[in-house]
Amino acid sequence: MHQNTKKLLSENGKMFIHSPGYEATKERLESRWSSDTKIVHFMSPTALSTEFIYDLAKICCASILSDGSHQEEETIVAKEICKELNIDWDEFNAILTKALDLVQNSKYKDVYEYLRYSEFGKNTKNAMLLFEATLHIVLADGIMTDKEAKFLADVADILSITTDKVICRIAQFLRFENDVLVDLTIRE
């Protein structure tokens, strides 16, 4: 083991090993985020077109319905995303409401089928931004379930986002959202 490496134990006895570059990396990453705020933050640059706004509405709709129910927290997060991206909420909400009605009154077997049929993300230049919106809405209630984890993987697949980027982005989200619970059923 390197001479400057620190061994640390958490309150629960889990061991963490911090390499010499750990503190510098931690400082660099945390300088990009305000850890005391719950404001939605995005990592991707934005170039918003009408097509992007419709894709955002589709993914917000699918994210809201991915767990089978529409919760108030999800709408609040969608509104915060619009605020962060300078999108007029009233106009966006009208598009989102139409998408929700379409999916709820259709014969799509699930939201993945809806996204595929709607050609979601087909020509997007902001795949990561759409994935981040998905992540924020899916985790608006503070819980990630099996179904939601699969949904995130499906969205990444549709948007052609590599597994390494997905894992890093979810890990970063969980790092700064300390109250998120992961409720996955382990299958062998």
Side-chain angles (χ1 to χ4, degrees):
M1 198 177 291
H2 193 275
Q3 199 169 18
N4 295 329
T5 300
K6 294 182 202 174
K7 286 194 266 184
L8 304 171
L9 295 178
S10 71
E11 291 176 16
N12 298 331
K14 179 170 174 57
M15 184 169 67
F16 294 92
I17 298 179
H18 294 172
S19 66
Y22 175 85
E23 291 301 325
T25 302
K26 180 179 177 185
E27 185 177 319
R28 178 179 55 82
L29 292 174
E30 287 182 347
S31 70
R32 295 169 67 182
W33 294 79
S34 174
S35 61
D36 62 335
T37 181
K38 292 292 182 191
I39 296 174
V40 177
H41 293 285
F42 291 92
M43 299 292 290
S44 297
T46 59
L48 305 178
S49 64
T50 302
E51 185 177 298
F52 173 83
I53 292 172
Y54 277 92
D55 275 345
L56 182 62
K58 290 172 191 174
I59 199 58
C60 286
C61 168
S63 300
I64 287 168
L65 298 176
S66 68
D67 62 0
S69 65
H70 185 167
Q71 299 169 9
E72 182 181 352
E73 296 89 343
E74 296 160 336
T75 303
I76 292 168
V77 171
K79 188 173 185 176
E80 283 297 314
I81 290 168
C82 286
K83 182 178 172 184
E84 180 83 8
L85 298 176
N86 295 316
I87 296 172
D88 181 84
W89 171 248
D90 293 331
E91 290 176 25
F92 182 83
N93 192 35
I95 298 167
L96 176 60
T97 301
K98 285 180 187 176
L100 288 166
D101 289 342
L102 171 72
V103 173
Q104 290 173 327
N105 296 317
S106 73
K107 296 189 183 202
Y108 295 116
K109 69 177 184 176
D110 56 25
V111 292
Y112 179 76
E113 185 178 286
Y114 158 70
L115 289 175
R116 283 287 189 196
Y117 180 76
S118 72
E119 297 186 344
F120 161 74
K122 185 176 179 181
N123 298 313
T124 189
K125 293 178 174 75
N126 291 302
M128 204 60 202
L129 186 59
L130 291 169
F131 182 79
E132 290 176 43
T134 307
L135 184 61
H136 282 281
I137 292 174
V138 163
L139 297 177
D141 63 357
I143 301 169
M144 180 190 291
T145 64
D146 282 340
K147 194 173 187 179
E148 291 168 328
K150 182 181 179 336
F151 177 69
L152 289 170
D154 288 342
V155 170
D157 180 53
I158 292 171
L159 294 172
S160 300
I161 299 173
T162 60
T163 303
D164 59 327
K165 287 184 180 181
V166 170
I167 291 170
C168 286
R169 186 60 188 105
I170 291 172
Q172 189 175 43
F173 185 97
L174 295 175
R175 161 79 171 90
F176 289 99
E177 295 292 336
N178 298 329
D179 298 330
V180 173
L181 302 175
V182 180
D183 185 18
L184 302 178
T185 302
I186 306 300
R187 295 181 185 97
E188 298 197 27

